[in-house]
Amino acid sequence: MSTVQFIKALTNDEGSDKASELFRHTFAEDESGVWSAPGRVNLIGEHTDYNAGLCLPIALPHRTFIALKPRTDGIVRVVSDVDPTSFQEVDLNGLEARGVDGWAAYPVGVAWALRSMGFSQVQGFDAAFASCVPLGSGLSSSAAMTCSTALALDDVFALGYGASDAGRVTLIESAMKSENDMAGASTGGLDQNASMRCTAGHALLLDCRPELTPLENTSQQPFDLSAHGLELLVVDTQAPHQLNDGQYAERRACCEEAAKVLKVANLRVTADGIAKSDDPFQSLKETLDALPDEVMKKRVRHVVTEIARVRSFVRAFANGQVEEAGRLFNASHDSLKADYEVTVPELDVAVDVARKNGAYGARMTGGGFGGSIIALVNSGESEKLAQLIADEFARQGFHAPRALAAVASDSARKVR
Ligand code: ADP
Ligand code: MG
């Protein structure tokens, strides 16, 4: 059987050189600067962001680099190392939602979003992307692209939001708007917040209640795995990952419908009510009894229990209770499989192999329907486990998976 591939992160110099060379090769001049933004992996708290819930991402060491030069007209020209042979060109003037096809919608959409948010000083630009974040693997290559673009545009058009954590919330809004309204890929904000706000050595506890200010809605939780003798293995199953085929929208709509039935603004209100009650089990049962159908009951049970698991995970990890943290990973996956129904056989098999071979816990991460799993393992165990998963995938006739080592890294920044 073949050896499983580990995707290495580009260093700052490697990423900047690649983006810069692609820029020069494509546009026959030099860029103004290079910026980069990371992909992310969500430790726990899945499908909670759009329910005003809690989630806990870390930024990956794997980043998207953008070499960019502003223009004085409304033309955007973008090229990516995914297809370095040609660039795409779009005029921002007169551009409407969903007006750009293909991947260019993501970076073009950021400029379009900033302009529609009132930043009329934003003009066109030329940009070249180089990335080591796997595309469509649930590790947020899309947010790495939109957030690196937003930070670059903030810088070259002097918007003044990139330097502070609170200011970045405005840039996050433009990145989300690009994904939602230009690329047509529904997103709840977890990915963009992670890419813009995570810090090295920490997980970002993100509270998605809309009434909170940016300073209130996050806290940095120490997440230094090596200090605990641990590693976080990410396995990209390479199973086809399709969030915009209606499944994601269907889950969101079901949660919104449930909130209406329960007469609450969102399911976070329900989750908090249950958590604070004298008998949370009974309270959850009564909530579910009030819902009209089985599917809705399952979806709500996932959201309510998953929000509780984020709290428990933060507590367990802070107290050094690694086994409990692993158990919560497992419970999260099982809930996503049985109640939220967003796993596929590749995710379940990868998680199963990890659990049977020494992982403290394992779960799918990201939206599901393909994508990646994470496994919490002792230091030095990642490669062996990744190989065992690859061997089982070969036996089952799945695509060969790829692996990454996840270390909590830094958010978007200017690199050159
Ligand atoms: P994920 O964000 O989990 O990787 P998405 O489906 O949300 O998955 O986003 C993947 C899409 O983002 C790609 O299909 C492509 O359109 C776009 N994309 C992201 N990174 C790049 C890149 N470096 N070059 C070109 N397109 C990219
Ligand atoms: Mg994405």
Side-chain angles (χ1 to χ4, degrees):
M1 297 208 187
S2 53
T3 308
V4 65
Q5 182 206 350
F6 265 76
I7 302 172
K8 277 180 60 183
L10 290 165
T11 65
N12 269 337
D13 279 344
E14 288 166 348
S16 302
D17 287 349
K18 275 185 92 174
S20 187
E21 276 157 29
L22 181 59
F23 189 98
R24 214 169 313 124
H25 177 78
T26 309
F27 304 117
E29 56 176 343
D30 287 334
E31 75 279 353
S32 313
V34 182
W35 295 257
S36 79
R40 64 95 189 94
V41 70
N42 190 25
L43 297 176
I44 195 160
E46 219 65 77
H47 287 277
T48 51
D49 57 348
Y50 54 82
N51 287 302
L54 301 168
C55 37
L56 191 69
I58 60 170
L60 287 171
H62 301 73
R63 304 175 75 90
T64 295
F65 293 80
I66 176 176
L68 180 143
K69 184 176 184 185
R71 298 172 61 102
T72 51
D73 57 16
I75 302 294
V76 176
R77 300 190 300 174
V78 283
V79 64
S80 163
D81 62 354
V82 168
D83 175 15
T85 55
S86 64
F87 63 81
Q88 305 206 35
E89 183 169 332
V90 176
D91 190 347
L92 291 174
N93 295 311
L95 185 61
E96 292 185 2
R98 303 306 308 276
V100 183
D101 291 331
W103 70 267
Y106 292 89
V108 172
V110 175
W112 169 82
L114 286 168
R115 277 157 70 120
S116 65
M117 287 159 65
F119 297 107
S120 53
Q121 65 270 52
V122 173
Q123 294 292 328
F125 58 90
D126 293 333
F129 291 92
S131 181
C132 57
V133 184
L135 267 57
S137 299
L139 303 174
S140 278
S141 69
S142 60
M145 180 168 251
T146 53
C147 292
S148 58
T149 306
L151 190 67
L153 295 180
D154 175 78
D155 210 345
V156 299
F157 293 113
L159 307 186
Y161 290 92
S164 73
D165 182 59
R168 285 184 173 211
V169 172
T170 299
L171 304 181
I172 289 168
E173 198 186 318
S174 72
M176 283 177 68
K177 194 168 164 57
S178 170
E179 296 209 28
N180 282 322
D181 300 342
M182 190 56 73
S186 263
T187 169
L190 155 63
D191 307 347
Q192 299 76 13
N193 271 283
S195 189
M196 281 293 206
R197 304 182 73 186
C198 280
T199 57
H202 295 84
L204 184 77
L205 177 59
L206 178 66
D207 187 327
C208 300
R209 278 178 292 169
E211 64 270 27
L212 299 184
T213 67
L215 296 176
E216 293 166 335
N217 74 1
T218 53
S219 73
Q220 302 284 345
Q221 302 288 326
F223 193 69
D224 182 355
L225 289 174
S226 63
H228 289 80
L230 297 170
E231 284 173 359
L232 190 69
L233 169 68
V234 179
V235 178
D236 169 12
T237 64
Q238 302 255 56
H241 164 80
Q242 267 296 353
L243 269 192
N244 46 8
D245 69 349
Q247 293 283 350
Y248 180 94
E250 189 272 332
R251 297 297 183 287
R252 265 185 99 136
C254 183
C255 291
E256 279 163 27
E257 187 55 35
K260 267 192 212 142
V261 175
L262 296 169
K263 298 193 175 57
V264 288
N266 50 57
L267 292 181
R268 171 63 179 280
V269 177
T270 308
D272 283 354
I274 291 171
K276 285 186 195 121
S277 72
D278 292 337
D279 185 348
F281 287 104
Q282 180 61 23
S283 176
L284 175 60
K285 183 180 177 303
E286 283 164 17
T287 300
L288 299 181
D289 284 345
L291 295 170
D293 67 87
E294 283 311 310
V295 170
M296 194 181 278
K297 287 181 207 288
K298 292 207 285 187
R299 305 296 189 251
V300 170
R301 184 163 57 201
H302 168 72
V303 173
V304 168
T305 58
E306 184 77 354
I307 291 170
R309 280 188 288 271
V310 177
R311 287 200 183 92
S312 303
F313 183 91
V314 167
R315 215 178 306 123
F317 197 82
N319 293 332
Q321 296 165 320
V322 178
E323 271 156 27
E324 173 65 3
R327 194 192 66 72
L328 290 158
F329 269 15
N330 290 342
S332 171
H333 184 86
D334 294 346
S335 175
L336 287 155
K337 179 182 178 187
D339 279 351
Y340 225 62
E341 298 180 281
V342 294
T343 70
V344 293
E346 287 88 339
L347 293 168
D348 295 331
V349 168
V351 160
D352 200 45
V353 173
R355 289 178 187 175
K356 287 184 176 141
N357 290 280
Y360 290 98
R363 59 179 292 272
M364 59 153 273
T365 183
F369 307 108
S372 301
I373 67 126
I374 51 175
L376 189 60
V377 300
N378 284 325
S379 291
E381 296 284 305
S382 287
E383 290 197 13
K384 195 180 81 204
L385 179 54
Q387 189 61 51
L388 288 171
I389 293 172
D391 293 347
E392 183 58 27
F393 272 36
R395 273 191 288 275
Q396 304 243 1
F398 296 160
H399 285 293
R402 302 179 294 182
L404 294 76
V407 178
S409 302
D410 246 330
S411 64
R413 61 171 178 262
K414 181 158 204 246
V415 282
R416 185 176 282 175

